[in-house]
Amino acid sequence: MGPTQPDFSASQNANAPADSSNNESATSSPGLEGPVDSPLHESSNALDQPAEDILPRDQQQKTATYDYAYEKSMSHAEARLFYQHHQLAARNDTLPSSPVAPARSTFESRLEESPNLSDPMNSQGQISREGSMVFEHEPTKLRLQSASEPNPSVSRYLEDDQDEANDSARNQAVILDAVQGQGPYSVAAASLQSAGVGIGGPQVASGYASSSDAVTSELSAIYCKIKKLLDRRSQYLALSLQGPGDDPKDQPDWEIYPPPPEPAWDHEKEYHPGNIGDPSDLAGKKRKMGQDIGEDFDMEELMPLPKESPWTYRLDGNSVYQVFDSETAADQQTPIVQIPSLRDFYMDLDAVIDVSTDGPAKSFAFKRLSYLEGKFQLYTLLNEYQEMADSKKVPHRDFYNVRKVDTHVHHSACMNQKHLLRFIKSKMRKSPDEVVLFRDGKHLTLREVFESINLTAYDLSIDTLDMHAHTDSFHRFDKFNLKYNPVGESRLREIFLKTDNYIKGRYLAEITKEVISDLESSKYQMVEWRISIYGRSLQEWDKLAAWVVDNKLFSPNVRWLIQVPRLYDVYKSSGMMENYEQVITNVFQPLFEVTKDPSSHPKLHVFLQRVVGFDSVDDESKPERRLYRKYPIPREWNTKQNPPYTYWLYFMFANIASLNNWRKRRGFNTFVLRPHCGEAGDPDHLAVGFLCCHSISHGILLRKVPLLQYLYYLDQIGIAMSPLSNNALFLTYDKNPCATFFKRGLNVSLSTDDPLQFAFTKEPLIEEYSVAAQIYKFSAVDMCELAKHSVDQSGFELSLKERWLGANCSLPGVAGNNVAKSNVPDIREAFRHETLLGEWSLIERYADGNGTGEQKSLVPGPPGESVSSNHDHNAPNPEPQSELSSSVADTTDASLSEAHGTDQTTTAPSTPSTYVARSPRLGTGEFSSPGSGTGVGGSDGLPEQKIFPGIVHERARKGTMQ
């Protein structure tokens, strides 16, 4: 480590409060004359002085964990540093530029440039009527300065009166917005101030002072990279129809069958007892919620099914199913949507990883995230009681009766241990002679199965089941998988926790209905159960759909996700398949068949209406050794080595994208990709999640990759976190970043993962919330905000979300918040939305070159050369396969004229900004911005890294990113 250098950016922040406190001391003591000892330079020996010479506030506070003397010495050292800096500034009459100057510095620089603007801070010189303290040449002497003496720096002093300070801060923000011309931010700031946030919200969108071209060029370089990555993600989501409003089931005319119960309260807040769990105004069978699960479902009511589509599909040479509007188009290889190739995908992925590992970008993202966290803490200090008061004004609603969705829970572990234990004992008493298993060439009854393991129903207990993940499973995913076996016996797991067994999953269906009954009785808890399709045979889909439909496992509280375990290496070792393409075929071919002709798999067609997405599961901590310099296509992947995580997700994304475009044209619901990501292993998994996934589960490794964390914040990517699960497997509860993510504004929700292994109570989701509230000190508003996030992340139909959160729940900010439904005060939503708008305004300002009035070129080459965009039709396009073009405006097969790709101008989903995505072609790995004729930096055209001294630009190290 080198010699410590003063942090000039922080010194300006600290000086104003310090000077203000000095000003207060002088004002409150007008009788003081002559020099006084400066408290900033108090000797460390002051603790040894007699008690009568020490002020009561300076007396040592003896606690078990606080070293008063050390704290005082550290504060004195910092104060001396600030003072020396001021002395240096007085001699040089200038200060070094700061990359992160406070809002006040920006404002003052603007006022110096615009003398015709009135200075709202000049009135502060009149606050000190008696005089103010100023430093003499000696650091330990202070003298009184009368109010009549001129003081050019007094305008930086803080006001004593808090109301006047609030007014001044608001005036400052308004004037600054007028100077900088930031319209959208001004609107957001006005809405926040009208909500009563006061000085808790930021007064400047950027917080940067454009003091030099070097700083601005560095910010522009970083923000251009960030914007390009966000553009790239928006195009991947637009291609695969995973964005908001892309799913036909979110349309107002979508019918949910069986229909959900009508609300018990209407808009006039009148109570209608007849509507409790009773859809009285809807035709069809009726049942009370929590009773007779599935009795309101009748397969005959869904007949006739849609007719066969004239379109066709084929598996191309890259093992991606392509959809064609005719056989002629199939012969000509002109699909309705162009899917990026595996090479294009990895080039885009490398671009994300290169930026996320870039030193200056990481440092920048870390500072922005720290700023967001500190800003929320300031907001909480200033508005905690106001939020509490707003919540108390809401009738009827509290944390227990706001809707909560368990966004990540595995179906085979959806019950707690006590529930499973009671069910097993019940079956042992009621049907011990039922044949439940065929093994080793003979049929076994339930009694014979338990006799073979030397157990009776009386012997069973929670300890005997041994299914709870204790400390022995920490960092041992293999042991955790064994916890799914009751009493350590795989035969019991096959009998009670499998859908495809000798009894066709009847026991699991019965216990599932019991869990559904508990959910419906609680009314306010919803689940998205993840159930497995292994990819071992083409019949898996039909068996799973028959299990759901035949057992009538339909409920307004339940939706399904399909999880695909990454177990190709197991199948290959056992001789079940020859290459990886067989897994893709077994998983996706039945889906394309049922989309073309629903009558070919009628039960599967009905089941898919309740499926919201796909998941990819397995132990992420497994090492991924790259055996190939260039990955082979799945048809040629015939080794026993399991493909890497990124390889699995690409082929899931590519086939889902092709499938979704066809299903939307047919008016069927589409699917999203929500994999396990960032639980352990390589942090690069998070880059895949950012690039092509709707949302992710776990995501705890984001704490190690600040740039990706900042990107997840900017695009509000959903993260379903399970701290109790992580505590047992990979990360202790106190180190879990869930609370930090929440404070910084990331879109996080709480989920249970595996109640069978981690939960102790009958309501696992409430248990998850309660533990988080106790450990992280979450308030009631925090809990309701997490619950609202879970509804937003879920795949429930928009009509249900509007019923749960309000009619405008799809709108951002206060406009989409209904405090009577969500119990989240408008002041909290205004703060979150305005903060996000502020970060996006930075991107618009610096990535578009508004900081200096021009944009710099960020790639080596002739100055002014720009990269052709896929929106530029006049530019040559050497690789048409890497373009993302799709027309998904129509949902019927009749619009054949729109079947082929047209250019897209997409807006990044879930972002409140108005910027238009104009990124380079996917797969190019290029990062550039259309530049002017002037370059900044060295001879290679790269901007100099002055914002972070000592760090060399990434392209200066590598030469090029292509």
Side-chain angles (χ1 to χ4, degrees):
M1 294 180 60
T4 304
Q5 298 181 356
D7 186 355
F8 296 131
S9 62
S11 65
Q12 293 186 8
N13 283 335
N15 283 332
D19 293 344
S20 177
S21 63
N22 295 340
N23 202 1
E24 284 184 9
S25 302
T27 304
S28 61
S29 305
L32 291 176
E33 297 180 359
V36 288
D37 292 334
S38 170
L40 298 179
H41 303 277
E42 179 181 355
S43 173
S44 60
N45 295 328
L47 298 175
D48 300 329
Q49 297 176 3
E52 59 269 11
D53 295 337
I54 302 178
L55 294 176
R57 67 181 183 185
D58 293 332
Q59 291 182 359
Q60 182 173 0
Q61 301 173 2
K62 296 181 179 180
T63 64
T65 59
Y66 179 61
D67 189 344
Y68 180 82
Y70 177 74
E71 184 74 11
K72 288 291 280 187
S73 64
M74 289 300 296
S75 63
H76 292 169
E78 293 174 358
R80 282 194 294 272
L81 214 58
F82 298 152
Y83 172 72
Q84 293 169 4
H85 165 62
H86 268 280
Q87 291 295 93
L88 178 64
R91 288 195 296 268
N92 297 337
D93 199 25
T94 181
L95 287 177
S97 59
S98 170
V100 190
R104 182 167 55 256
S105 300
T106 306
F107 177 64
E108 289 168 0
S109 64
R110 293 290 183 181
L111 290 182
E112 292 175 2
E113 297 171 3
S114 305
N116 57 334
L117 293 175
S118 60
D119 188 351
M121 304 298 287
N122 282 339
S123 60
Q124 302 194 34
Q126 304 172 3
I127 300 299
S128 178
R129 299 178 180 86
E130 303 295 338
S132 61
M133 284 184 171
V134 296
F135 285 104
E136 290 282 11
H137 295 291
E138 298 182 19
T140 58
K141 302 293 184 181
L142 289 173
R143 67 174 177 85
L144 287 177
Q145 178 189 26
S146 64
S148 61
E149 294 183 32
N151 190 347
S153 62
V154 74
S155 61
R156 295 199 303 270
Y157 292 169
L158 294 178
E159 295 177 348
D160 298 322
D161 185 79
Q162 183 174 359
D163 295 335
E164 295 183 18
N166 291 347
D167 296 338
S168 175
R170 291 189 182 115
N171 293 335
Q172 172 183 336
V174 172
I175 295 175
L176 180 61
D177 290 342
V179 172
Q180 296 180 346
Q182 295 183 9
Y185 177 75
S186 302
V187 175
S191 65
L192 187 59
Q193 292 163 8
S194 64
V197 175
I199 61 174
Q203 308 305 332
V204 180
S206 62
Y208 291 108
S210 54
S211 57
S212 68
D213 290 341
V215 172
T216 304
S217 64
E218 178 66 17
L219 289 175
S220 179
I222 294 175
Y223 273 119
C224 280
K225 295 176 183 179
I226 290 176
K227 183 178 179 181
K228 296 306 178 185
L229 294 183
L230 292 168
D231 291 344
R232 198 155 291 179
R233 167 178 165 80
S234 69
Q235 290 197 351
Y236 269 86
L237 292 190
L239 169 75
S240 56
L241 301 180
Q242 297 186 71
D246 288 335
D247 198 334
K249 74 170 182 291
D250 291 336
Q251 301 301 320
D253 57 348
W254 182 267
E255 294 184 4
I256 304 175
Y257 182 82
E262 287 298 298
W265 299 80
D266 62 9
H267 296 292
E268 286 75 25
K269 299 181 180 179
E270 294 183 0
Y271 183 58
H272 299 278
N275 284 350
I276 296 183
D278 185 11
S280 55
D281 61 339
L282 298 173
K285 298 181 180 180
K286 305 172 185 177
R287 68 178 179 89
K288 186 176 181 179
M289 290 294 98
Q291 301 179 6
D292 302 325
I293 305 300
E295 294 304 317
D296 53 349
F297 172 80
D298 188 357
M299 186 72 178
E300 296 299 326
E301 295 184 9
L302 297 174
M303 299 298 175
L305 297 176
K307 297 181 180 180
E308 182 179 359
S309 170
W311 290 12
T312 186
Y313 66 93
R314 292 182 183 178
L315 186 66
D316 66 8
N318 296 323
S319 301
V320 175
Y321 281 95
Q322 302 284 0
V323 180
F324 307 91
D325 56 9
S326 65
E327 290 293 341
T328 303
D331 295 337
Q332 297 175 356
Q333 293 297 311
T334 55
I336 63 171
V337 60
Q338 295 286 348
I339 305 296
S341 66
L342 182 64
R343 175 181 178 274
D344 295 336
F345 174 79
Y346 270 104
M347 291 182 68
D348 291 335
L349 180 61
D350 288 342
V352 177
I353 295 174
D354 285 344
V355 177
S356 66
T357 56
D358 179 38
K362 288 195 298 183
S363 300
F364 166 81
F366 177 77
K367 288 177 183 266
R368 296 310 298 174
L369 292 169
S370 301
Y371 159 73
L372 292 172
E373 185 176 359
K375 184 175 175 183
F376 178 77
Q377 292 174 348
L378 175 62
Y379 162 83
T380 304
L381 289 173
L382 294 173
N383 301 281
E384 179 180 6
Y385 294 104
Q386 183 63 47
E387 287 185 341
M388 193 180 303
D390 292 346
S391 297
K392 290 180 179 179
K393 294 177 184 177
V394 180
H396 173 67
R397 196 68 64 185
D398 54 38
F399 165 71
Y400 288 96
N401 56 20
V402 296
R403 260 70 180 193
K404 298 168 283 289
V405 181
D406 197 344
T407 50
H408 171 209
V409 52
H410 300 279
H411 172 256
S412 57
C414 65
M415 72 296 293
N416 59 66
Q417 290 184 80
K418 190 63 177 178
H419 191 174
L420 180 61
L421 178 64
R422 288 199 311 266
F423 183 82
I424 294 176
K425 286 189 172 184
S426 173
K427 289 300 176 183
M428 281 288 292
R429 290 195 306 267
K430 295 178 181 179
S431 53
D433 297 324
E434 181 180 3
V435 178
V436 295
L437 187 66
F438 180 79
R439 178 170 289 189
D440 298 331
K442 62 179 181 179
H443 296 83
L444 298 177
T445 64
L446 191 59
R447 187 198 308 274
E448 292 172 341
V449 170
F450 274 87
E451 287 177 352
S452 65
I453 58 177
N454 299 320
L455 283 178
T456 64
Y458 182 78
D459 296 329
L460 290 178
S461 66
I462 294 294
D463 298 330
T464 308
L465 283 182
D466 191 25
M467 302 186 73
H468 200 277
H470 294 285
T471 54
D472 59 343
S473 61
F474 193 72
H475 282 281
R476 290 294 304 273
F477 206 85
D478 54 339
K479 285 190 175 182
F480 169 73
N481 283 331
L482 296 178
K483 293 293 182 179
Y484 277 93
N485 299 327
V487 203
E489 294 289 336
S490 60
R491 65 186 72 182
L492 294 183
R493 178 182 182 180
E494 181 179 350
I495 295 171
F496 290 100
L497 298 179
K498 290 289 186 180
T499 61
D500 181 19
N501 53 23
Y502 184 81
I503 56 177
K504 297 183 179 180
R506 182 162 49 86
Y507 283 176
L508 182 58
E510 291 179 11
I511 195 171
T512 299
K513 285 189 175 183
E514 294 179 6
V515 177
I516 292 177
S517 178
D518 293 339
L519 289 171
E520 292 184 353
S521 299
S522 68
K523 184 180 179 180
Y524 298 101
Q525 297 181 43
M526 319 294 165
V527 294
E528 291 180 314
W529 280 330
R530 308 193 177 208
I531 195 164
S532 295
I533 288 291
Y534 295 92
R536 292 176 294 194
S537 69
L538 291 170
Q539 289 72 39
E540 285 186 42
W541 278 104
D542 288 328
K543 292 179 180 179
L544 177 61
W547 177 77
V548 173
V549 173
D550 293 343
N551 291 288
K552 298 184 177 182
L553 299 178
F554 293 92
S555 169
N557 296 60
V558 177
R559 295 295 181 271
W560 302 86
L561 277 95
I562 302 301
Q563 63 181 22
V564 181
R566 300 187 295 273
L567 298 177
Y568 163 77
D569 54 340
V570 177
Y571 308 150
K572 176 66 176 178
S573 300
S574 59
M576 296 178 60
M577 52 188 58
E578 296 297 327
N579 54 54
Y580 178 68
E581 187 183 61
Q582 292 180 261
V583 178
I584 297 175
T585 302
N586 293 336
V587 171
F588 287 102
Q589 181 173 318
L591 300 180
F592 283 88
E593 291 175 357
V594 73
T595 302
K596 177 177 175 62
D597 184 11
S599 61
S600 62
H601 306 272
K603 293 181 180 179
L604 178 57
H605 174 74
V606 173
F607 169 62
L608 288 179
Q609 294 178 355
R610 294 300 178 98
V611 174
V612 300
F614 284 81
D615 182 12
S616 178
V617 298
D618 197 18
D619 181 11
E620 283 191 73
S621 63
K622 289 181 178 179
E624 296 177 349
R625 298 180 179 88
R626 183 156 188 168
L627 302 180
Y628 305 96
R629 182 177 179 273
K630 179 181 179 182
Y631 287 127
I633 59 176
R635 192 171 301 164
E636 298 175 0
W637 193 294
N638 51 17
T639 65
K640 294 184 179 181
Q641 181 76 18
N642 203 33
Y645 180 92
T646 54
Y647 195 87
W648 276 89
L649 256 65
Y650 165 75
F651 285 101
M652 291 192 68
F653 162 81
N655 287 282
I656 289 173
S658 185
L659 179 67
N660 279 350
N661 280 274
W662 194 5
R663 291 184 65 85
K664 182 173 182 178
R665 284 179 169 84
R666 296 222 61 188
F668 303 157
N669 62 297
T670 57
F671 310 114
V672 296
L673 185 56
R674 293 164 50 181
H676 283 56
C677 184
E679 183 181 17
D682 196 338
D684 291 350
H685 297 179
L686 294 162
V688 191
F690 167 78
L691 188 61
C692 63
C693 298
H694 173 272
S695 56
I696 65 171
S697 299
H698 294 298
I700 55 177
L701 287 182
L702 278 174
R703 72 190 191 277
K704 296 183 177 180
V705 195
L707 183 87
L708 285 178
Q709 187 183 148
Y710 187 54
L711 290 172
Y712 272 71
Y713 165 75
L714 288 174
D715 214 34
Q716 290 293 287
I717 302 174
I719 308 173
M721 306 196 72
S722 306
L724 284 177
S725 169
N726 303 144
N727 182 67
L729 291 176
F730 292 107
L731 189 68
T732 56
Y733 208 104
D734 58 313
K735 297 178 182 178
N736 196 288
C738 178
T740 303
F741 290 173
F742 174 76
K743 293 175 183 177
R744 292 174 176 177
L746 276 74
N747 184 14
V748 298
S749 64
L750 289 178
S751 57
T752 59
D753 196 358
D754 296 284
L756 185 61
Q757 277 76 33
F758 308 123
F760 287 91
T761 63
K762 188 178 181 180
E763 294 183 312
L765 187 58
I766 298 298
E767 180 180 346
E768 193 82 38
Y769 276 89
S770 63
V771 175
Q774 295 290 339
I775 301 298
Y776 298 139
K777 310 298 183 188
F778 283 152
S779 65
V781 175
D782 297 336
M783 306 269 277
C784 292
E785 187 179 6
L786 286 168
K788 184 182 179 183
H789 286 174
S790 70
V791 176
D792 290 335
Q793 295 175 18
S794 70
F796 281 84
E797 293 80 1
L798 183 60
S799 59
L800 290 180
K801 293 183 180 181
E802 290 177 346
R803 183 183 298 182
W804 298 339
L805 298 180
N808 299 321
C809 65
S810 58
L811 299 178
V814 178
N817 185 50
N818 186 343
V819 66
K821 297 279 190 179
S822 65
N823 202 34
V824 179
D826 285 340
I827 186 175
R828 172 68 68 91
E829 284 294 334
F831 168 77
R832 293 291 196 190
H833 183 53
E834 187 221 3
T835 304
L836 187 59
L837 278 179
E839 296 300 314
W840 274 100
S841 68
L842 283 176
I843 296 178
E844 295 176 355
R845 175 183 176 186
Y846 286 99
D848 293 339
N850 294 336
T852 59
E854 61 183 6
Q855 268 187 313
K856 277 65 177 184
S857 176
L858 300 182
V859 293
E865 181 182 356
S866 61
V867 177
S868 61
S869 168
N870 62 334
H871 304 282
D872 187 0
H873 299 281
N874 298 324
N877 191 357
E879 292 183 20
Q881 285 293 329
S882 64
E883 292 185 359
L884 295 185
S885 58
S886 170
S887 61
V888 291
D890 201 346
T891 58
T892 63
D893 293 342
S895 59
L896 298 181
S897 61
E898 296 181 10
H900 297 285
T902 60
D903 61 323
Q904 294 187 35
T905 302
T906 57
T907 303
S910 305
T911 57
S913 69
T914 57
Y915 92 98
V916 179
R918 290 186 172 89
S919 69
R921 290 181 295 105
L922 297 188
T924 61
E926 295 170 347
F927 278 86
S928 68
S929 49
S932 60
T934 60
V936 175
S939 58
D940 57 355
L942 298 176
E944 295 181 357
Q945 302 289 337
K946 291 185 178 180
I947 194 171
F948 302 110
I951 300 179
V952 183
H953 195 281
E954 58 167 337
R955 230 169 268 118
R957 297 192 306 265
K958 299 181 180 179
T960 180
M961 292 184 64
Q962 299 182 8

